[in-house]
Amino acid sequence: MITPKSPVSRRKFLTASVAMGAAGLAAPAIAQSIDPYTGQPLQGTAGGATPDAGVVQYDAAQDSRRNISSFRMQDWQPYFKDLTHGAVLVDLTSRALHFWSEDQTVYKLFPTSVPVSSDLTRTGRTEIIKKVVGPSWAPTPEMKKRNPEWPDFVPPGPDNPLGTHALWLSWQYYRIHGTHDTRKIGRKSSNGCIGLYNEHIQQLYDLTNIGTQVLLI
């Protein structure tokens, strides 16, 4: 746990977080095919039966390691009027998620994956409306139309693109969730949602509540 009153702990946390983000970016795989939904090259060992299932939708034009320089602590005040119910800030440029508790005793900073293209990216204010441990996954109607070969339903487990925990946002089909494919963190690699390491989404799940404010910038 990191508090605003503990600069030493904060520095240690930021150093460890950057190291984890860099580790997740260390070993790109060989491109195998093109994702039919995003048009991005797929990298990994699976056939891309579902988004996030064993593949990385990788933007070859973007050096994902560059975001480490902007992966740093933020102040909540420029973004929120108050911290009622706590607050989550997702910075799509630095690919980082910030959390502040309502009483300001807890601050967390996590590396994330972000949408792979601008047409899949949504910004603005929303909130957490549902929390699920062991989420199942189903493609949106748009995904199914573009990819009829994708399954209608994926149960919880290692092939589920939502990882171990998921936070439903008030925007339809948008989630903050975990991922079993750690190569995706720090990259443009999602179909619209925000992904975290499973151990990080579990922490965020425990810290947030229904009604927690969320801002994507």
Side-chain angles (χ1 to χ4, degrees):
M1 177 181 296
I2 298 171
T3 71
K5 298 180 180 179
S6 178
V8 175
S9 296
R10 181 186 307 151
R11 286 196 297 270
K12 288 181 179 178
F13 176 83
L14 292 175
T15 301
S17 297
V18 169
M20 284 187 293
L25 306 175
I30 298 173
Q32 295 180 332
S33 60
I34 301 297
D35 184 287
Y37 182 63
T38 65
Q40 293 292 331
L42 294 178
Q43 297 188 355
T45 58
T50 64
D52 301 342
V55 296
V56 175
Q57 297 159 331
Y58 180 65
D59 182 357
Q62 176 66 48
D63 181 357
S64 299
R65 291 168 294 185
R66 290 186 302 178
N67 77 299
I68 293 174
S69 63
S70 58
F71 192 81
R72 56 179 176 262
M73 181 181 177
Q74 295 280 4
D75 182 8
W76 65 270
Q77 291 177 317
Y79 305 102
F80 301 96
K81 293 180 180 179
D82 55 50
L83 292 178
T84 302
H85 303 304
V88 170
L89 173 70
V90 178
D91 187 332
L92 299 172
T93 300
S94 62
R95 302 169 196 172
L97 182 149
H98 306 259
F99 169 81
W100 297 268
S101 64
E102 183 171 3
D103 61 6
Q104 302 187 50
T105 62
V106 181
Y107 169 75
K108 293 286 187 179
L109 172 60
F110 301 122
T112 73
S113 64
V114 297
V116 75
S117 58
S118 58
D119 61 306
L120 296 172
T121 302
R122 183 166 182 174
T123 58
R125 296 186 185 277
T126 179
E127 64 181 53
I128 294 172
I129 62 169
K130 182 180 177 180
K131 301 172 59 177
V132 178
V133 177
S136 58
W137 177 85
T140 66
E142 175 100 8
M143 289 180 183
K144 192 65 177 178
K145 181 179 179 180
R146 293 176 181 265
N147 303 276
E149 74 281 7
W150 283 359
D152 294 327
F153 177 81
V154 179
D159 292 327
N160 191 289
L162 299 186
T164 61
H165 298 67
L167 304 173
W168 265 239
L169 303 181
S170 61
W171 299 335
Q172 189 176 26
Y173 304 128
Y174 282 82
R175 315 277 188 263
I176 299 173
H177 61 81
T179 178
H180 298 297
D181 188 346
T182 58
R183 297 168 299 172
K184 302 180 76 65
I185 303 304
R187 287 176 168 155
K188 293 181 178 180
S189 58
S190 83
N191 280 281
C193 295
I194 302 301
L196 282 74
Y197 290 116
N198 280 329
E199 57 266 35
H200 289 167
I201 190 62
Q202 182 174 356
Q203 292 179 46
L204 187 64
Y205 180 97
D206 292 339
L207 290 167
T208 54
N209 301 293
I210 303 301
T212 292
Q213 309 171 70
V214 178
L215 172 62
L216 277 72
I217 61 171

